[in-house]
Amino acid sequence: MQFNTILKTLPLLMLTTGLASAAQAADVKLGLAAALTGPAAKYGVAIKNGFTLAADEVNAAGGVNGNKLQLLIEDEQGKKEEAINVFKKLIFKDKALLVFGPTLSNSAFAADPIANAAKVVAFGTSNTADGITAMGPFTFRNSVMEADVLPVTTRAAVKHFGIKKVAIIYGNDDAFTKSGYDVFKATLADQKIPVTTTEAYAKGDVDFKAQLTKIKASNPDAIVCSCLTEEAANIILQTRALGMKQPFIGGNGLNSPKLFDIAKGAGDDTIMGSPWSPENLTPANKAFIAAYKAKFGSDPDQFAAQAYDALHVVADALKKVKLSGAIDKDRIALQQALPSVTIEGATGKFAFRKAPPVTGKEVGYDAQQEAIVNIAKGGKFILLK
């Protein structure tokens, strides 16, 4: 009788144990809003690749606390309205634990308030404009601010080329390029470098002859370019067509193979600041580059590296979180675990720092990381020595 009772209850015990195991080893859903189509796809696809590579590595090693990471990837097209729609879908419909992205700072200013209102971490890996993390305590970024990078870059360029005066060209209708211009303007004033002329363009412009003719007439020693990659490459080409040989100085918007796909050798002597370089031969970076090439058959860029590191930052934070299955509670627990994470990843040593205070408002967390200054030679960026 007892034996028959055991046989009858055994399937129930097995089912109960199976359900308990499934509950303990569930997928952790992480949202990714990236520009996979449109002009910003040159950044967004690399970002997606970086996240995919890192998630595959974490899952192959057993996941986090036995839980596999599931990336929910959505195309926000580099547009503010699409970023808003994607954030809403990932947060309210898909119940993602956090959302990575969006790709552009313009889009982050539109979408991040939604995440903060819902108490969901919005983790930017390519948003460097000033004010991003002032939107609320749930906004994090591991993309180093232009305010940290551009002063170092400018000082290195001035020393390398013996620059006495510069001209500036920038995009005046994009949060990233406008913020970069503001930092360059303040940096040049602080370093006492005169500006011969300042010229602006609008997103989508392809003919820069009018601006460049004015720059040529002002006879600068170098041209400061707060631009996204495609515009920068075309500006460089058109500058050379006008017989101008001045070097360019830019921020991480220039740090893409696309610059050389368009500008070819005309991009040589461009100086650019970034937290990442393929020539930074740390063990972590060498392993990342090798794994990326093996998986995607192409070289990684800064945006892939920052996405790759961001996934590992979140995985590290999740090790400290005991997921309850209550999504609102788990989202807050992750937000509380993130600030103390430190890693040594593809981009080097990384930690968070609290964003500058804003009166009457809670703020998020910026990246604490050193800038690397690069110079273009032979169609690629190498370390400036």
Side-chain angles (χ1 to χ4, degrees):
M1 184 69 178
Q2 289 180 341
F3 182 69
N4 288 338
T5 302
I6 291 171
L7 285 176
K8 288 177 182 178
T9 57
L10 187 58
L12 180 60
L13 287 169
M14 291 173 67
L15 176 62
T16 305
T17 303
L19 289 172
S21 298
Q24 291 167 1
D27 284 348
V28 178
K29 294 191 288 187
L30 305 176
L32 169 58
L36 303 179
T37 57
K42 54 186 164 285
Y43 307 118
V45 172
I47 288 168
K48 182 193 76 168
N49 290 348
F51 276 116
T52 301
L53 176 61
D56 287 351
E57 288 179 356
V58 171
N59 288 336
V64 180
N65 299 335
N67 299 313
K68 294 296 179 75
L69 304 182
Q70 180 188 2
L71 283 176
L72 307 177
I73 302 171
E74 296 286 343
D75 180 12
E76 41 86 355
Q77 303 174 35
K79 298 176 181 178
K80 291 188 285 187
E81 59 274 17
E82 287 301 321
I84 290 170
N85 292 337
V86 164
F87 263 51
K88 287 180 177 178
K89 178 180 184 295
L90 290 170
I91 291 168
F92 301 114
K93 182 180 178 181
D94 298 335
K95 306 294 184 185
L97 189 63
L98 102 170
V99 179
F100 291 113
T103 299
L104 299 178
S105 294
N106 261 0
S107 300
F109 280 121
D112 279 20
I114 295 165
N116 275 279
K119 296 185 178 180
V120 178
V121 168
F123 194 135
T125 67
S126 55
N127 310 141
T128 59
D130 185 45
I132 290 287
T133 47
M135 286 187 281
F138 283 81
T139 294
F140 289 71
R141 60 177 164 187
N142 72 331
S143 40
V144 182
M145 291 190 300
E146 296 285 66
D148 290 333
V149 173
L150 298 185
V152 177
T153 307
T154 302
R155 191 174 293 110
V158 167
K159 181 180 178 182
H160 184 76
F161 289 115
I163 293 166
K164 303 297 182 185
K165 58 187 186 298
V166 302
I168 302 174
I169 186 166
Y170 74 102
N172 64 2
D173 59 350
D174 178 86
F176 167 75
T177 55
K178 177 62 169 63
S179 177
Y181 162 70
D182 291 339
V183 174
F184 268 128
K185 182 180 178 182
T187 296
L188 293 165
D190 183 59
Q191 297 182 17
K192 297 181 172 54
I193 306 297
V195 177
T196 61
T197 185
T198 298
E199 303 298 327
Y201 65 86
K203 192 180 294 184
D205 284 356
V206 294
D207 185 353
F208 305 97
K209 186 176 179 181
Q211 296 96 322
L212 296 176
T213 299
K214 291 179 184 177
I215 288 174
K216 183 177 182 179
S218 74
N219 195 31
D221 298 323
I223 301 170
V224 167
C225 183
S226 182
C227 314
L228 295 172
T229 303
E230 198 160 329
E231 287 93 346
N234 284 312
I235 287 168
I236 290 170
L237 278 177
Q238 291 174 39
T239 300
R240 304 304 178 230
L242 289 171
M244 301 165 68
K245 297 180 180 179
Q246 290 93 335
F248 278 76
I249 306 168
N252 65 47
L254 277 59
N255 195 9
S256 169
K258 190 77 173 175
L259 185 79
F260 304 108
D261 291 345
I262 298 171
K264 312 296 183 188
D268 277 7
D269 284 338
T270 296
I271 286 185
M272 174 274 302
S274 162
W276 181 81
S277 168
E279 295 201 346
N280 184 22
L281 300 179
T282 62
N285 197 32
K286 286 169 67 176
F288 160 68
I289 293 170
Y292 190 97
K293 286 181 177 179
K295 187 172 182 66
F296 301 108
S298 61
D299 292 327
D301 63 13
Q302 168 194 337
F303 302 96
Q306 288 178 167
Y308 176 86
D309 281 356
L311 194 286
H312 283 289
V313 167
V314 169
D316 196 85
L318 283 170
K319 292 175 185 175
K320 308 170 188 176
V321 175
K322 187 174 182 181
L323 295 174
S324 66
I327 188 67
D328 292 343
K329 180 180 176 182
D330 291 342
R331 285 167 167 172
I332 292 171
L334 176 58
Q335 185 255 359
Q336 292 173 343
L338 275 169
S340 63
V341 172
T342 60
I343 69 165
E344 188 154 356
T347 60
K349 292 181 179 179
F350 173 82
F352 286 112
R353 72 171 183 234
K354 191 81 169 176
V358 177
T359 303
K361 193 173 181 181
E362 286 188 88
V363 295
Y365 290 84
D366 290 317
Q368 180 64 49
Q369 210 164 22
E370 297 296 322
I372 297 171
V373 181
N374 303 268
I375 186 168
K377 293 291 182 186
K380 67 177 183 177
F381 282 114
I382 63 173
L383 293 177
L384 178 64
K385 297 176 182 178

